[in-house]
Amino acid sequence: MWQGCSPRETRGRAAAAALAALLLVACGTLSIPQERKLGQEANREIRRQLKLLRDRVVHDYVAHLGANIVAGAGPQPFEYEFHVVEDDQINAFALPAGYVYVHTETILKARNVSELAGVMGHEVGHVARRHIAQNYNRQRNTGILHQVAVIGAGVAGGSAAAGAVNLLGGLAGVAYLNTFTREAEADADAFAVDVLPRAGYDPRGLVSFFDTLAREGGAGVPTFLSSHPAPKDRIQATSARIAAAQLPANLAVNDGGRLEIIQQRIRLLVGESGSSKQR
Ligand SMILES: [Zn+2]
C-alpha cells in the first residue's frame, strides 16, 4: 500500500473478524483457500466501516482498469475485486485474496491513467506475490499473532474488553492485514513494473506518482514518505527496473480523457476535497 499499507479506519470489528478467521488457520502456512476465507471475512467487515463511493460509472472505470492489470498478470489464484472509498487521503490498500480499495483522493490526484494504474498495479502485486501470507508466517513466528489472536477470540466470544479491542484492533488491522516489509513494498513495485506494460500501461506512471506523493506529503498528508524510510531507494530501484525493461511502443499514459471525466464526476459527487462526509 501507499501510506503504510493500512486501511485508515480499520478498527476493532474488522480486526476481530479477520482474527477470528485467523484462529481457524493458526497452524501452518496460510493456504490459498484459507486466505480466501480470511479475505471474505475482512472484506465483509471493512465494507461496513468504510464509506464506499457507490457510483456505478466510477466503480466500473476502476474495476475495468483493475481487470486489465490482473489480465496482464496472467493466471491468478484469487478473484480480484476493485472498489472506491470516499476518502480525502491519498491511499489504496489490498485485503487478503484480492479485494483492492482505492481512495477517491488517489484518483483525483493521478495526473494520468498510468499513475492510477501504477498504484493499482502495486496493490495487485501485494496480493499476487502472497505478501499477506508472508506476513502471517512472519507474525506467527514473532508471537505477535498469538497476542492479537487472544484479543480476537475475546471479541468473538462476546467479551466486553472494548477499549483494548479498539486499541489493539487498529494495531491488528495494520500489523496483520497490511504492514509489509520494505522488501515486500519493493517487490510490489517490481510486480507493477513488470505487469503494467503487459496490461498496456506505461510503468513510468508508478514513478511519477511517487512525485505526486512527495508533493502532497509536504501539505500535511500523513504520508507514504514518512512510513517508508527510503523513498529515494524505491524510486531509484523502480526507475532502474523500468530502464532495463524492453518496453513495447505505444503504452498508455493517458486514456483519451476518460480519467478526467471520472475525476470531474468524483468532484461533483463528493466535493473538491475528495470527501464530503465525516468519516
Ligand atoms: Zn504497498
Side-chain angles (χ1 to χ4, degrees), residues 161-191:
V165 168
N166 283 334
L167 180 64
L168 290 177
L171 173 64
V174 172
Y176 174 65
L177 290 178
N178 260 273
T179 295
F180 300 117
T181 62
R182 188 182 299 180
E183 289 74 21
E185 294 298 347
D187 192 37
D189 290 340
F191 175 92

Side-chain angles (χ1 to χ4, degrees), residues 26 28-29 133-146:
T29 301
Q134 290 171 18
N135 276 356
Y136 166 74
N137 290 325
R138 179 165 53 91
Q139 292 176 16
R140 179 164 61 104
N141 290 338
T142 62
I144 292 170
L145 182 66
H146 174 71

Side-chain angles (χ1 to χ4, degrees), residues 35-240:
E35 185 171 338
R36 282 198 198 107
K37 179 166 180 56
L38 186 61
Q40 287 168 1
E41 301 255 359
N43 189 55
R44 198 159 32 236
E45 285 303 325
I46 210 126
R47 291 176 73 84
R48 290 179 187 157
Q49 298 193 21
L50 297 180
K51 181 171 177 51
L52 296 180
L53 185 74
R54 298 186 185 278
D55 179 74
R56 176 55 60 187
V57 175
V58 175
H59 173 270
D60 286 355
Y61 176 84
V62 170
H64 180 72
L65 176 51
N68 284 347
I69 294 167
V70 172
Q76 297 284 309
F78 302 119
E79 299 275 338
Y80 285 77
E81 290 184 13
F82 297 89
H83 301 285
V84 179
V85 182
E86 187 177 327
D87 196 304
D88 60 3
Q89 183 180 14
I90 297 176
N91 214 344
F93 61 89
L95 297 180
Y99 302 90
V100 177
Y101 286 81
V102 181
H103 286 193
T104 44
E105 188 69 2
T106 305
I107 302 170
L108 290 174
K109 284 290 164 32
R111 287 173 291 188
N112 54 59
V113 73
S114 76
E115 291 196 355
L116 182 56
V119 173
M120 292 174 64
H122 174 97
E123 296 305 326
V124 170
H126 279 313
V127 178
R129 303 276 213 205
R130 310 269 347 262
H131 293 156
I132 292 162
Q134 290 171 18
N135 276 356
Y136 166 74
N137 290 325
R138 179 165 53 91
Q139 292 176 16
R140 179 164 61 104
N141 290 338
T142 62
I144 292 170
L145 182 66
H146 174 71
Q147 297 172 33
V148 171
V150 169
I151 299 296
V155 173
S159 160
V165 168
N166 283 334
L167 180 64
L168 290 177
L171 173 64
V174 172
Y176 174 65
L177 290 178
N178 260 273
T179 295
F180 300 117
T181 62
R182 188 182 299 180
E183 289 74 21
E185 294 298 347
D187 192 37
D189 290 340
F191 175 92
V193 169
D194 293 348
V195 165
L196 289 172
R198 297 205 292 270
Y201 300 104
D202 193 323
R204 285 167 287 207
L206 181 62
V207 176
S208 69
F209 198 75
F210 288 144
D211 294 335
T212 296
L213 285 167
R215 280 201 319 276
E216 296 297 320
V221 177
T223 104
F224 167 82
L225 291 175
S226 61
S227 59
H228 295 75
K232 286 182 181 171
D233 289 353
R234 216 172 143 191
I235 290 170
Q236 285 174 0
T238 303
S239 298

